[in-house]
Amino acid sequence: MIEIKNVAKTYKSADGDFTAIRNINLTVEDGDIFGIIGLSGAGKSTLVRCINLLEVPTEGDVLIDGQSMLSLSHKELLAARKKIGMIFQGFNLLSQRTALGNVCFPMELAGVPRKDAVKRARELLQIVDLGSKENSYPSQLSGGQKQRVAIARALATDPKVLLCDEATSALDPKTTRDILALIRDINKRTGITVVVITHDMKVIEEICTKVAILDGGVVAESGSVEEVFSSPKTEAGRRLVYPDGIPFEMLPNSRVIRVVFNGGTAYQPLIASLAIDCGVKVNILGADTRSIDGKAFGTMLLGLPESESEATRALAYIAAQKDITVEEVRDYRG
Amino acid sequence: MVEALTNFFEDLGMRKIPEQLEFLLTPENIPFAIWETLYAPLLATVLAYVIGLPLGILLVTGEQNGIRPLPRPLMQVLNTVINLLRSIPFLILMVLVMPLSRLILGTSVGTMATVVPLTVAAAPYVARLVEGSLREMDRGVIEAAQAMGCSPWQIVTKVILPECKPSLITGATNAAITVLGYGAMAGAIGGGGLGAIALMRGYNRGQTLVLYVAVIILVILVQIIQSVGTALAVKTDKRIQKTNSKKEKRK
């Protein structure tokens, strides 16, 4: 379990102090795939580096399995880091070592005998589906392959935690899905706790069980992915969950509502039945479906008719449906 | 044959050809000069690396945001000393370190004695070369190593130096050639070698032919060192995809 307690990080510089993150309180349970999402500059990378103390928090503490990271001696910290794997956007492989050499590297540091290390590295390369590339140098591998080597390397010392810092941001959509599937698979097989940093909603949808939205250095919202995605409570949450909405100024003058289908029933013919049952015609301004953990989540932006009575009737009808939440959109901006 | 050569060069307007030919054609003269030209500078280059490599590493790792920050004043002193040594012209430095040569080697003249000023001149240069190589290092890779629990010492020995090897080899080639160039001035304090011959015989005594020959051999030596260095750097650099180009050729 990772407990992030009241963590803050302030950078001191000549032109004044800059607080990257503050008041961060998060708990990541064992076996979770925990997503931390935010736009650039939200402090995600700083936050994830506070977990393995690549960045030392200026306030608060980080506890891993109850052990305070900040109270560790330098030596103990180096040992603790061996139990926390990390992968990066830029892969960060050793360019002068082969794939096998890269995977052996952390075991070399840990003093694993060469023969055992090579054996384990071969196994790991098999797991990430790169068994045939063990003698290739990073320059001979594609981005996805490099990230697979990095994952194998991160797993070499049997860590309990895997930190992924924008690990798929440099990859194309197909490769991204493959890498995410691999991470999910490893999580299922080994029960490793995964912390995923990303700016991409799709990554969260694809693999995370819990999510925290970081905005301006603070946690705006956190909870299960279902919860946060079906009804984001904050402006930052809405900005991320409904990124492609049309600008507020362009909405019609009549009332606009957002309808969210909370799993399972995304395909019920709501609009058709609304027209038939109530005789109200609504205008679909936007729609989107996401699949989270196997369940379908749909959102729809509807323009209600100008007539107040028709609008009220439609609203009441929709609100009465099962598994659907509805809210009026006033402050929504895409 | 000597006569023919004499006529040929005298037709070109050169003078005192017979005595020059006698010097050049005496079997041991030129090989010995080449040996003297090489051993002092190469020995000095090696010694300069013994001093300059750790210094160059410290210049990078000891920075405030380096992997093992050192006190700021210490870094400033280090930088200033290196700049100071680098700004003294070699000819002056050679004279300045004479007492040091006498202290270490018991003499301040002769080819061996030039090793001391050459080392003193090259060490700060090497430190800067090494610094430059290490600065090319991708910070992300260092961060990854830190995340794996690498100690600063392990980062230097297992990550930075192996990753920078090609660039360090290129730097060492540069250093060797530069020191070879300095070594040519060593004639001024009684050192031997091609530089001394070019200066003493070629220039001072007007033996133009000897001057040319000495310079041409120097050029060839530099070419050889450069080619070997470049080949070595390319060979060790795994970022360059050699296997692919070979395969393509076979097709």
Side-chain angles (χ1 to χ4, degrees), chain A residues 49 52 54 74 78 81-82 84 86 88 91-97 105-106 108-109 137 139-140 153, chain B residues 138 140-141 143-152 154 158-159 162-163 166 236-241 243:
Chain A
R49 279 165 180 69
N52 58 5
L54 284 180
H74 182 67
L78 295 185
R81 280 181 181 163
K82 292 190 166 76
I84 306 173
M86 190 167 185
F88 304 84
F91 320 124
N92 295 346
L93 296 175
L94 296 162
S95 60
Q96 307 292 353
R97 280 184 180 229
F105 182 69
E108 252 174 70
L109 298 178
Y137 287 94
S139 64
Q140 298 163 320
R153 181 175 70 173
Chain B
D138 182 354
V141 178
E143 195 182 31
Q146 286 174 321
M148 283 184 255
C150 254
S151 66
Q154 286 173 320
K158 285 178 169 286
V159 179
E163 283 290 293
T236 52
D237 196 347
K238 308 301 184 198
R239 288 170 299 182
I240 303 167
Q241 299 192 17
T243 46

Side-chain angles (χ1 to χ4, degrees), chain A residues 229-232 241-242 255-263 265-271 274 282-290 296-304 311 314-329 332:
Chain A
F229 274 37
S230 57
S231 53
V241 178
Y242 312 121
R255 294 161 74 184
V256 174
I257 56 169
R258 178 185 298 112
V259 177
V260 182
F261 303 85
N262 303 339
T265 56
Y267 308 108
Q268 69 186 28
L270 177 75
I271 307 303
L274 185 66
V282 294
N283 183 10
I284 300 174
L285 300 170
D288 189 18
T289 312
R290 302 167 184 280
F297 280 80
T299 59
M300 232 185 239
L301 218 50
L302 302 177
L304 296 179
L315 207 56
Y317 179 84
I318 296 169
Q321 302 293 316
K322 254 204 289 179
D323 288 333
I324 285 181
T325 50
V326 60
E327 60 176 339
E328 200 144 347
V329 180
Y332 173 61

Side-chain angles (χ1 to χ4, degrees), chain B residues 125-161:
Chain B
Y125 176 57
V126 165
R128 289 291 182 213
L129 279 175
V130 170
E131 181 193 10
S133 291
L134 302 199
R135 283 199 193 287
E136 288 168 27
M137 177 84 202
D138 182 354
R139 286 203 66 90
V141 178
I142 293 174
E143 195 182 31
Q146 286 174 321
M148 283 184 255
C150 254
S151 66
W153 173 250
Q154 286 173 320
I155 291 180
V156 170
T157 56
K158 285 178 169 286
V159 179
I160 297 182
L161 292 181

Side-chain angles (χ1 to χ4, degrees), chain A residues 226-262:
Chain A
E226 281 182 39
E227 231 170 76
V228 174
F229 274 37
S230 57
S231 53
K233 289 175 191 64
T234 57
E235 181 56 34
R238 276 191 276 268
R239 232 182 3 236
L240 282 162
V241 178
Y242 312 121
D244 306 323
I246 50 175
F248 187 59
E249 304 81 57
M250 288 172 66
L251 292 177
N253 290 329
S254 61
R255 294 161 74 184
V256 174
I257 56 169
R258 178 185 298 112
V259 177
V260 182
F261 303 85
N262 303 339

Side-chain angles (χ1 to χ4, degrees), chain B residues 33-49 90 111-119 122 126 172 175-186 192-195 218 221 225:
Chain B
I34 292 175
W35 159 245
E36 280 196 310
T37 304
L38 289 177
Y39 93 81
L42 291 186
L43 182 60
T45 307
V46 171
L47 291 175
Y49 265 86
F90 180 66
T111 306
M112 194 57 201
T114 61
V115 172
V116 177
L118 284 176
T119 305
V126 165
I177 290 174
T178 305
V179 177
L180 199 73
Y182 284 163
M185 294 182 227
L194 293 164
L218 269 177
L221 287 179
I225 294 174

Side-chain angles (χ1 to χ4, degrees), chain A residues 12-29:
Chain A
K12 292 195 190 321
S13 77
D15 357 298
D17 295 354
F18 169 70
T19 301
I21 51 171
R22 62 197 148 88
N23 296 334
I24 307 280
N25 283 291
L26 290 172
T27 303
V28 183
E29 302 286 345

